[in-house]
Amino acid sequence: MWSLSNIAGITQTWLNATFNPTIALWSEFVIVGVLVIALFAVLGLGLVYMERKVAAHIQIRLGPNRVGPMGIFQTTADTVKLIMKEGLTPDGSDHFLFNLAPFVVMIAAMLVLAPIAFAKNFQIWDINIGVLYVSAVSSISVIGILMAGWASNNKYSLLGAMRSGAQIVSYELSVGLSIISIVVLSGSLQLSDIIASQQDGWWIFKGHIPVIIAFVIFIIAVTAETNRAPFDLAEAESELTAGFHTEYSGMKFALFFLAEYINIFIVCAIGATLFFGGWMPLHIGNWQGFNQVMDYIPSSVWFISKTLFLIFLIMWFRWTFPRLRIDQLLNLEWKYLLPISMVNLLLITVMAIMKWHF
Amino acid sequence: MNPSSIPSDYLPIFIQFLVAAGFVVAVMVATHWLGPKRKSKLKLETFECGIEPQGNARIPFSIKYFLVAILFVLFDVEVIFMYPWAVNFKVLGESGLIEMLIFMALLLTGFFYIIKKGALKWE
């Protein structure tokens, strides 16, 4: 049976048999690096295409349909166009910080990718502090956004960056508390352990209503954290032009754009891992036959389809809810989501102690 | 779960960092090399909806945003304290839960004070 972990294992055995250990190790690093960059390209192109198609169909349009069959090469064409564009650094800006900001945002997005489990036994880096690492590194990107907005020396950028800073740090609290509620249930920070704890059912089914509340809070908070509508105040195009990246052009703009979509993928992958069991197939208690049928579907397919479903959910939000005002946005977080998620965490703790979950 | 980790466990993340930085540098160099370089005074001006830029953007800014950031630091520290407790709460048992409840109650009192004081009121 071909699976991603099999292919990785065969490659590793072959490399170790052919070369000495040092060269084998370094060539593994190179292969992983190339794969990560390839994944980035595919994700960026694929998700932008998906966003445009989903948006179009929700608005009863067709969306991109000229470049390639059903317009699938539209985003590739856009990328080529952006690479050929001139990258400007405005005179009034702080040149060093202006050019550093895309690096910060992009590197932060790329680093968070490391501990995500893409399939059974297929993970770049299975560290024991998995989810803590994810929430720590993903909060670096706000520095890049503030840097971009301030360095541009543009009023729209400054407003966008300030809004974005306040918004991202606020919603990070709720994301952290929802993550902790799953950590309480599974008793580990390591992503592979969290997935293994969902062997007999995903947490969203096993954890009764408190976990469902935690999931709802998680999905609201990550939508805000990735600056997506209805929380896209940072780049509200009708009032702030493009928010913090107004002054960016060409590939520097494209890097911000790419980082935004990578971040959406990462938060959805984390959500799928924590609440929907990552690559774990749908298992129901003791139904042996059912579980075996589900095991035939490859684990990578399970992971990708759960993640894509969550991404679709976030795209759906964008065309359903109107944009909030900044005070409404902060009220929602500080007066509703934060107290609810704290009480919910206590409920989940009591549930875990009493062993009320399945 | 592996109880301890050594610095070399973090080597993959260093390499990933190098790959990420290399990718961004390569993209920037490629676009610099491929793109046109026709700069003019007007093109490099700050964008302000087509009118002449008025003054500078380095201006004093609303204190509310700063206040939110400060509040975030307080509550984020609380969330960070919860991580080790969440992993170990089964071992710590009931006494651990009661201590956590006291800790949370203290913070929620402060939180209530902030709300009543109007720190999150905009106008």
Side-chain angles (χ1 to χ4, degrees), chain A residues 95-295:
Chain A
H95 288 219
F96 176 68
L97 288 183
F98 187 86
N99 288 313
L100 185 66
F103 277 83
V104 176
V105 173
M106 200 60 194
I107 289 174
M110 248 173 158
L111 286 184
V112 194
L113 206 65
I116 291 173
F118 292 96
K120 196 174 184 177
N121 302 326
F122 191 72
Q123 206 169 353
I124 298 175
W125 190 49
D126 191 17
I127 188 69
N128 54 7
I129 54 162
V131 280
L132 181 62
Y133 170 84
V134 168
S135 58
V137 176
S138 64
S139 59
I140 292 176
S141 67
V142 67
I143 298 174
I145 289 175
L146 280 173
M147 207 186 263
W150 188 82
S152 300
N153 197 5
N154 178 325
K155 283 146 209 153
Y156 299 122
S157 305
L158 185 67
L159 277 169
M162 286 296 174
R163 285 179 179 186
S164 175
Q167 171 187 337
I168 294 179
V169 297
S170 301
Y171 280 83
E172 206 158 283
L173 298 173
S174 292
V175 174
L177 286 169
S178 321
I179 289 177
I180 288 176
S181 47
I182 294 299
V183 173
V184 163
L185 286 172
S186 55
S188 173
L189 292 168
Q190 196 162 359
L191 283 174
S192 55
D193 283 358
I194 292 178
I195 295 171
S197 73
Q198 307 183 58
Q199 176 87 48
D200 51 349
W202 307 340
W203 280 123
I204 194 132
F205 298 136
K206 281 201 298 183
H208 306 293
I209 291 166
V211 172
I212 294 175
I213 296 174
F215 172 69
V216 170
I217 290 172
F218 179 84
I219 202 87
I220 294 173
V222 297
T223 314
E225 236 194 306
T226 47
N227 282 325
R228 298 276 309 173
F231 307 108
D232 63 342
L233 291 152
E235 40 202 284
E237 60 272 14
S238 49
E239 33 186 305
L240 291 183
T241 328
F244 65 89
H245 55 61
T246 305
E247 290 293 344
Y248 285 86
S249 57
M251 212 54 206
K252 285 177 211 159
F253 160 74
L255 287 175
F256 275 113
F257 202 60
L258 180 59
E260 186 184 324
Y261 280 92
I262 299 299
N263 278 329
I264 295 169
F265 174 80
I266 287 166
V267 294
C268 289
I270 293 294
T273 307
L274 294 180
F275 296 96
F276 292 95
W279 50 260
M280 194 62 83
L282 178 61
H283 282 175
I284 300 178
N286 305 322
W287 297 14
Q288 293 300 341
F290 180 78
N291 293 349
Q292 272 167 7
V293 171
M294 286 297 160
D295 282 338

Side-chain angles (χ1 to χ4, degrees), chain B residues 5 19 26-27 37 48 52-53 58 64 67-69 76-78 90 104 113 115 121:
Chain B
S5 54
V19 168
V27 168
K37 282 174 273 297
E48 213 149 289
E52 300 253 316
R58 309 264 188 263
K64 293 289 181 194
L67 206 58
V68 169
D76 202 41
V77 169
E78 184 203 355
K90 275 176 188 144
M104 266 177 137
Y113 175 75
I115 300 275
K121 239 187 218 127

Side-chain angles (χ1 to χ4, degrees), chain A residues 77-88:
Chain A
D78 287 345
T79 314
V80 171
K81 185 199 79 172
L82 281 168
I83 289 181
M84 307 294 283
K85 288 281 177 188
E86 180 177 7
L88 293 173

